[in-house]
Amino acid sequence: MAEVVLSGVTKRFKTVAAVESLDLTVHDGEFIVLLGPTGAGKTTTLRLVGGLERPDEGSITIGGHDVTHAAPAARDVAFVFQQYSLYPHLSAYDNLAFPLRSPARRVPEDEIRKRVGEIAEMLRISAKLQNRATQLSGGEMQRVAIGRALVRRPSIYLMDEPLSSLDAKLRSDLRLELKRIQQDLGATILYVTHDQTEAMTMAVRIGVIESGRMIQLGTPREIYTAPASVYVATRLGQPAINLLPVGLLPDGGAPTGGKTVGARTENLRIAKAANGSANATVDWIEHLGDQNHLHVTVGDHKLVTLADPESDLAKGDRVSLSLVDPLYFDASGKRIAASGKARIPQGNG
Amino acid sequence: MSKTTAHSVVAPTPTARRVSGAIVILYALITMIPLAWIVMTSFKTPPDSIAYPPKVLFEPSLEGYCNLFTTRSRQTPEYLESLPAPEPGCDAIVRSRNMVIAGPSNVIPRFTNSIIIAFGSTFLAVFLGTITAYAFSRFKVPFADDILFFILSTRFMPPIAVAIPIFLMYRAIGLSDTHLGMILLYTAVNVSLAVWLLKGFIDEIPREYEEAAMIDGYSRLHAFVKVVLPQAATGIAATAIFCLIFAWNEYAFAVLLTSGTAQTMPPFIPFIIGEGGQDWPAVAAATTLFLIPIFVFTILLRKHLLRGITFGAVRK
Ligand SMILES: Nc1ncnc2c1ncn2[C@@H]1O[C@H](COP(=O)(O)OP(=O)(O)OP(=O)(O)O)[C@@H](O)[C@H]1O
Ligand SMILES: [Mg+2]
C-alpha cells in the first residue's frame, strides 16, 4: 500500500477537458470516494492513476515514485472496471488467477489456488469457478471482476462503480466486506460511485467532482453538513436537498448575502396547522417501503421531505413549515455561514 | 404430451427444421456431384473414364494413381517377354498396357512445392495481417484511413494485370521459379485481404480486455498474446482459410513464374494430360490429391470458420 498523489493533473480529449488541474492525495490506507454526475471525469481520473491515460499536464506519484509516464504494469495498481471486463475465453478461476500469473508476479500455482479459493469464498462465487466468464450472470461477473483486484495486494485499488449491478443485499454485504478489507489490510482505495450510501459509509474522505474539477474534498460529515456549494449539497441527502429562496419559510434569520436556502429533512419542522398559521399544503405521500416521502407545496415551490411513519398527515392537509438551522448559499451558489443566533443544536431530528 | 405444445417464437419448429435440413442436404449433394465424379474417375481405367454413356458402376482400378506417380515407357512385345514376371500392383497394371515403369513422376515434388508455398504464404500473410490490423485498430496511426485505403486498393485490379512487370522484376532479381519468390508474391496479394478482415475482428474485441491485462501486470505484447489472440482466433482461422484457398489454387502466376524447382500443382496438373494420351484417371487422381489438404485444413478449422464467416456478427 502506498500514498498516491495527483498534482495539477489535466487530461483533454480533443477540446473536452475530462480532468482539469486536479489535485488529490490519497493517503496510505485511505479510502477515498469520488462522487460526481455522469461525464464528470471520475473514470478518467482512475485511468490516469492506472496509467491507461497519459496526463497532458501535471504529475502522478505512487509511493513517492513519479509514475506519470510509467506503463500500467509498472505501477502495481488493481482496477475494477465500470464495465466488468472479464476475459471471455477464460473460466472464472483463470480470470481470478490471471493477475497472479503475470510475468511481473509469477505466484506459484498452489499459492494461487489458495488465494483464489479465499476470494471466491468471500465473494460467494466458489460454485461458479469453473464456468466460462460468458456463462456467468451480470452480478457474478462483477464479483469476479472485484475478485480479480482483491487477489492482489497492490499499492492502490481503483474501483469504478464496482457494486452497481448487484442486488441490494449483496451490495450492502460487499460494502461491509470492502470496508473490512480496507481496515484489516490497510488498503488504499480510490473508489467511484453514484450511490451516496456507499460514499457515506465507506469513505474516509469524499471528493466531489464536477466537469473534471475537484469541487470539495472532505470527510463524509464535512461534505454533508458543510458543503462548499449548492452543487455539492445536491450530491448528498435522500431525498435530495430542497432549494428555496430565502424568506419563503420562517427561519432563524438569514445571513447577509444569502439568496438560497438549502433544507434537508432534518432542517424542516412540519406541523398540522389551522388555516391561520399554515403556509404549505401536502401534495401527496410516496410510500417507498422503508420511508415515506412527503411532497409539499409552498407557494410556487415544491418540497420533498421524509414523513414520520406514524404521522397522520394526509393528502390535502394544510401544514405549517419552518426551517431549523438550514444551509445558506449566496447568489453564485457558494455556501455562507449562518448568522450566530440561528444556531440551534441538532436535537431529536 | 398435451396437444398444444408451446414453443418459442425464435426456435424453428420441427417441421421447419426438417424441411430446411432437406433443402440443405439436397443442395450439398448437387454441388458435390462434380467432386464425386472426379474422385470416381480417379479410380477408373482410362477406357472406362471415356466410356459413353458414362459409367457410374465400374470396377475400381488404381491405374490413374499408378500413372500419376510414375513415368512409363512403351516397349516391344519381345522385350516385355524377356522381363521377369511383374510384381503385383502398379508394375502389373503398367505391364498390362505393354509398358514398363521408367521412374517416379514429378508429382511428389510439385505437391510439396504447393504445400510449402501455400502454407508459407498463408502463415506470413496472416501473421503480418494480424499485427498490422492490431496496430491500425489500437494505435493512432498517422493517415490511417489513407493507408488502409491504399492497402485495399492493391486488390482493385486483378493481380494478373501486373504479371508482366512482376515477371520481369523476378527475372532480374533471380526470384523466378523459387519458393521464396512465390511465397512473397502470394503473401503480397493476400496480406491486404488479411489486414482488412482481421481489422474488423480485432476492432470488435474491446480494448478493456488489454487494459485490464496491462493493469494486471502484463506488457502490451503479452496482453496481445494472452488476451487478443485467443479472442481473434475465429477471425484468424477464417482469414487463414481464405488466404490458403487463394494461394493453393492460384494458376496464372504459377504458370508464368514457375517451370521446375518451384512449380506448384495447378500448372503441373495440365501437363499430365499431355503425357501419353489423354490420361483422365491420372488427372482425376492428381485433382483428388490436390483437394485433400484444403479439405483437411477446413475441417480442422471448421468450428472457427462457421462463426468466422458471419464476420463477427454472432460473437458472444
Ligand atoms: N476516450 C475518450 N475520448 C474522448 N472523450 C472522452 C474519452 N473518455 C472520456 N471522454 C470524455 O471525458 C469526459 C469524462 O468522462 P469520464 O468517463 O471520466 O466520466 P465519468 O465521470 O466516469 O462518467 P460516468 O459516471 O458516466 O461513468 C466525458 O465528457 C467523456 O465524454
Ligand atoms: Mg465512469
Side-chain angles (χ1 to χ4, degrees):
Chain A
M1 300 297 139
E3 184 178 74
V4 175
V5 182
L6 289 84
S7 33
V9 172
T10 297
K11 175 69 193 176
R12 290 184 205 91
F13 293 108
K14 303 226 169 69
T15 52
V16 197
V19 170
E20 208 165 354
S21 356
L22 188 89
D23 292 307
L24 174 63
T25 301
V26 188
H27 299 300
D28 192 3
E30 193 178 29
F31 196 135
I32 288 201
V33 170
L34 295 179
L35 269 184
T38 174
K42 308 180 296 293
T43 300
T44 308
T45 306
L46 296 194
R47 290 171 61 85
L48 284 161
V49 176
L52 298 174
E53 306 284 358
R54 293 288 146 86
D56 295 315
E57 284 160 35
S59 69
I60 300 169
T61 65
I62 296 179
H65 300 284
D66 187 337
V67 296
T68 316
H69 301 287
R75 299 187 182 206
D76 189 29
V77 301
F79 205 133
V80 182
F81 289 84
Q82 193 167 5
Q83 297 93 356
Y84 27 88
S85 47
L86 299 186
Y87 309 117
H89 58 294
L90 299 179
S91 67
Y93 179 91
D94 289 329
N95 264 280
L96 290 169
F98 194 82
L100 301 176
R101 289 175 178 153
S102 82
R105 272 169 286 275
R106 295 223 178 283
V107 179
E109 282 296 322
D110 46 341
E111 170 73 17
I112 292 180
R113 213 167 302 126
K114 193 168 134 273
R115 295 257 280 275
V116 170
E118 281 167 17
I119 295 292
E121 193 69 34
M122 187 187 98
L123 297 167
R124 275 167 270 162
I125 41 174
S126 310
K128 304 283 182 177
L129 281 180
Q130 297 316 318
N131 283 33
R132 279 281 207 107
T134 46
Q135 296 163 343
L136 298 171
S137 76
E140 287 160 357
M141 287 189 205
Q142 202 159 16
R143 278 176 280 161
V144 175
I146 296 171
R148 205 172 61 197
L150 296 184
V151 289
R152 294 173 46 197
R153 300 278 170 266
S155 3
I156 184 168
Y157 291 100
L158 305 168
M159 301 194 175
D160 200 351
E161 305 187 31
L163 306 183
S164 60
S165 73
L166 303 177
D167 63 58
K169 167 92 172 68
L170 196 55
R171 194 183 315 183
S172 68
D173 288 355
L174 285 182
R175 211 159 62 206
L176 290 173
E177 201 61 59
L178 282 178
K179 188 68 191 167
R180 191 185 63 74
I181 289 172
Q182 188 252 332
Q183 281 165 350
D184 290 0
L185 304 176
T188 314
I189 302 183
L190 186 55
Y191 189 102
V192 166
T193 184
H194 282 124
D195 181 323
Q196 49 174 299
T197 319
E198 282 174 27
M200 293 300 286
T201 55
M202 293 196 287
V204 175
R205 285 190 296 163
I206 293 177
V208 181
I209 296 191
E210 183 190 14
S211 312
R213 293 174 178 280
M214 183 67 79
I215 304 290
Q216 191 176 2
L217 181 65
T219 62
R221 185 152 184 83
E222 276 165 21
I223 301 280
Y224 188 83
T225 57
S229 65
V230 169
Y231 177 80
V232 176
T234 52
R235 297 287 113 208
L236 292 177
Q238 181 63 25
I241 194 165
N242 297 291
L243 297 170
L244 305 164
V246 162
L248 183 73
L249 292 175
D251 53 14
T256 44
K259 280 278 178 293
T260 309
V261 183
R264 294 199 174 98
T265 292
E266 62 271 24
N267 308 126
L268 286 166
R269 290 287 173 275
I270 190 161
K272 236 179 172 165
N275 272 354
S277 60
N279 56 3
T281 317
V282 176
D283 255 353
W284 49 295
I285 300 172
E286 207 179 358
H287 299 280
L288 300 180
D290 56 338
Q291 36 180 248
N292 293 338
H293 283 188
L294 193 63
H295 295 250
V296 183
T297 317
V298 188
D300 296 341
H301 295 269
K302 290 187 185 303
L303 274 70
V304 184
T305 181
L306 286 182
D308 192 340
E310 277 104 59
S311 86
D312 54 351
L313 288 172
K315 188 177 161 172
D317 282 354
R318 298 285 292 157
V319 291
S320 83
L321 268 182
S322 59
L323 295 168
V324 184
D325 202 14
L327 302 168
Y328 292 98
F329 303 97
D330 68 12
S332 67
K334 288 224 162 26
R335 190 178 60 87
I336 44 181
S339 44
K341 77 177 188 86
R343 281 255 156 232
I344 296 166
Q346 305 268 124
N348 42 356
Chain B
M1 278 274 154
S2 65
K3 256 183 271 166
T4 51
T5 49
H7 55 255
S8 78
V9 181
V10 279
T13 62
T15 326
R17 214 183 277 238
R18 265 194 295 273
V19 171
S20 51
I23 293 173
V24 169
I25 289 171
L26 188 68
Y27 178 74
L29 286 177
I30 292 170
T31 54
M32 282 192 303
I33 287 174
L35 278 181
W37 196 256
I38 288 281
V39 176
M40 276 162 64
T41 305
S42 76
F43 289 103
K44 287 180 179 173
T45 58
D48 278 353
S49 74
I50 51 171
Y52 189 85
K55 286 192 175 179
V56 177
L57 294 175
F58 57 92
E59 195 177 329
S61 149
L62 285 178
E63 188 166 350
Y65 290 89
C66 290
N67 292 352
L68 176 63
F69 283 98
T70 60
T71 54
R72 301 153 306 281
S73 58
R74 192 166 294 280
Q75 300 294 343
T76 57
E78 299 80 48
Y79 175 71
L80 288 171
E81 236 143 75
S82 70
L83 293 174
E87 286 169 31
C90 281
D91 213 11
I93 293 171
V94 170
R95 194 76 64 85
S96 71
R97 302 281 178 209
N98 292 332
M99 291 191 285
V100 290
I101 292 173
S105 73
N106 273 335
V107 68
I108 289 176
R110 299 303 183 256
F111 193 80
T112 315
N113 286 346
S114 263
I115 297 269
I116 293 171
I117 290 168
F119 281 87
S121 70
T122 299
F123 173 81
L124 259 186
V126 171
F127 174 77
L128 293 174
T130 308
I131 56 180
T132 310
Y134 179 78
F136 276 112
S137 174
R138 294 299 196 256
F139 299 111
K140 274 204 197 107
V141 180
F143 306 109
D145 289 348
D146 303 291
I147 298 174
L148 279 170
F149 179 78
F150 169 72
I151 291 174
L152 185 66
S153 71
T154 61
R155 292 298 290 252
F156 283 2
M157 59 185 170
I160 199 64
V162 290
I164 306 293
I166 287 180
F167 176 75
L168 297 174
M169 263 163 49
Y170 267 38
R171 213 176 44 184
I173 56 177
L175 280 177
S176 287
D177 205 15
T178 60
H179 292 100
L180 179 65
M182 295 311 286
I183 290 176
L184 289 180
L185 181 66
Y186 291 164
T187 304
V189 175
N190 271 334
V191 84
S192 61
L193 175 77
V195 168
W196 272 81
L197 282 181
L198 285 165
K199 179 164 182 302
F201 283 103
I202 292 177
D203 278 345
E204 278 195 24
I205 303 170
R207 290 158 177 267
E208 280 82 16
Y209 293 128
E210 287 148 87
E211 293 183 339
M214 288 195 279
I215 290 276
D216 283 346
Y218 293 77
S219 66
R220 182 175 280 278
L221 182 65
H222 229 102
F224 173 75
V225 173
K226 286 268 182 183
V227 178
V228 178
L229 280 191
Q231 291 187 64
T234 298
I236 290 174
T239 309
I241 289 179
F242 282 123
C243 291
L244 183 72
I245 288 174
F246 170 82
W248 188 254
N249 290 341
E250 206 286 326
Y251 178 73
F253 279 116
V255 166
L256 200 65
L257 297 175
T258 68
S259 48
T261 337
Q263 194 182 44
T264 53
M265 284 294 272
F268 173 73
I269 290 174
F271 266 103
I272 304 167
I273 303 177
E275 287 174 11
Q278 302 204 328
D279 195 350
W280 294 117
V283 173
T287 312
T288 305
L289 280 187
F290 185 63
L291 290 173
I292 290 173
I294 291 274
F295 187 72
V296 171
F297 190 70
T298 313
I299 295 274
L300 287 180
L301 298 185
R302 184 184 49 194
K303 194 181 89 205
H304 295 300
L305 188 67
L306 274 182
R307 292 199 305 165
I309 53 178
T310 58
F311 290 95
V314 285
R315 67 200 308 278
K316 179 75 184 109

